[in-house]
Amino acid sequence: PGYGFLSENEAFAKRCEEEGIAFIGPKAHSIAAMGDKIASKKLANEAKVNTIPGYNDPIAGPEQAVEIAKGIGYPVMIKASAGGGGKGLRVAFNDKEAFEGFASCQNEARNSFGDDRIFIEKFVEQPRHTLPTKALQSSLTLALDGVQNPGNLGTIVRLADWFGVEDILCSKECADIYNPKVVQATMGALLRVRVHYVDNLAQILSSAANNGTPIYGTLLDGNNIYSEKLSNRGIIVMGNEGQGVSEE
């Protein structure tokens, strides 16, 4: 059924199942759980998946919304449980905006989705990705310096998975990990290997080396990897297809 509309319709998926029609997509109960933001956050918390802090139950009114927002700490996101596509979402930086935002968000949700349940969660300003520092210090990690060919990147991810490497650091010059050719070349390994894009790969490598983490570079004039004794922890740096590892 494509994207959106019937592909996200619980009733449609359930009816297909009842009629013996193969629905290529999630089961009806999965669509129901993921389509309801309150239910999906509770499900994630039960599975011990990290989620943004917030109040994960329907809020009764604007007064309660203000009290909850103050408890979470501004800024906050006021969200419709059935929302999507940018509808049913407001950001509040103070009590007045929380009060007014709740009312407008609830009205929009009711008119757009027929469901006026609202919840609140923390609005994270300038979020930053946290690198797995423990993993860098205790296991082998790959660092890719400008690998631009999608097929090459996907193959590297697949090989990393085969050899038990769980984390890959990519410079910002690397191909997009979600490029269809990359995803295809990983042959499913993308689901098991964590790929982290970093702004300054050289700085991260320098910091890791200063903390005692071994750094290995893949160079044409280097020593034979089969004759070298590698540590069971460290970072292996692989360079660009045409230029190799950068001078940095």
Side-chain angles (χ1 to χ4, degrees):
Y3 296 93
F5 301 106
L6 292 178
S7 70
E8 299 177 7
N9 188 301
E10 173 198 0
F12 179 72
K14 185 176 181 181
R15 183 64 184 274
C16 286
E17 187 176 339
E18 292 172 348
E19 297 294 335
I21 299 173
F23 178 80
I24 303 176
K27 297 295 184 183
H29 64 84
S30 298
I31 296 177
M34 293 297 101
D36 185 327
K37 290 183 173 60
I38 290 177
S40 64
K41 287 202 69 174
K42 289 181 177 180
L43 186 64
N45 288 333
E46 290 173 3
K48 301 188 184 304
V49 175
N50 291 333
T51 61
I52 297 175
Y55 185 85
N56 300 326
D57 282 302
I59 299 171
E63 294 83 5
Q64 185 187 14
V66 171
E67 293 304 314
I68 291 171
K70 289 194 293 187
I72 296 172
Y74 291 108
V76 297
M77 289 189 292
I78 303 169
K79 304 176 71 173
S81 183
K87 290 188 176 182
L89 172 64
R90 301 290 187 278
V91 177
F93 289 85
N94 52 53
D95 292 356
K96 182 175 182 294
E97 292 181 355
F99 189 96
E100 295 175 351
F102 176 87
S104 61
C105 186
Q106 189 173 54
N107 289 334
E108 185 174 61
R110 185 185 301 113
N111 294 331
S112 299
F113 311 111
D115 183 343
D116 63 359
R117 291 175 302 140
I118 303 296
F119 70 105
I120 292 179
E121 61 186 15
K122 180 70 176 176
F123 176 63
V124 182
E125 298 181 281
Q126 297 182 332
R128 296 183 62 84
H129 181 67
T130 302
L131 288 175
T133 53
K134 289 185 178 179
L136 296 183
Q137 297 170 358
S138 61
S139 61
L140 279 176
T141 300
L142 278 182
L144 306 183
D145 181 21
V147 176
Q148 297 178 338
N149 183 282
N152 289 346
L153 179 56
T155 300
I156 291 170
V157 173
R158 187 172 77 248
L159 290 173
D161 181 40
W162 286 350
F163 284 97
V165 175
E166 297 181 345
D167 291 280
I168 297 177
L169 306 180
C170 289
S171 69
K172 59 185 179 181
E173 293 80 18
C174 286
D176 181 1
I177 192 65
Y178 294 112
N179 179 302
K181 291 184 178 180
V182 177
V183 175
Q184 183 180 22
T186 68
M187 297 180 66
L190 183 57
L191 299 175
R192 295 179 292 274
V193 178
R194 295 181 290 268
V195 179
H196 315 269
Y197 281 82
V198 296
D199 291 330
N200 195 328
L201 181 61
Q203 183 178 342
I204 291 173
L205 295 176
S206 177
S207 176
N210 291 336
N211 290 327
T213 300
I215 307 294
Y216 304 102
T218 54
L219 308 170
L220 289 177
D221 58 352
N223 297 331
N224 190 320
I225 191 172
Y226 297 106
S227 64
E228 292 294 312
K229 290 185 178 180
L230 301 182
S231 170
N232 59 2
R233 68 183 186 90
I235 302 176
I236 301 174
V237 184
M238 299 179 67
N240 175 269
E241 294 90 340
Q243 301 176 352
V245 177
S246 63
E247 293 183 4
E248 294 181 349

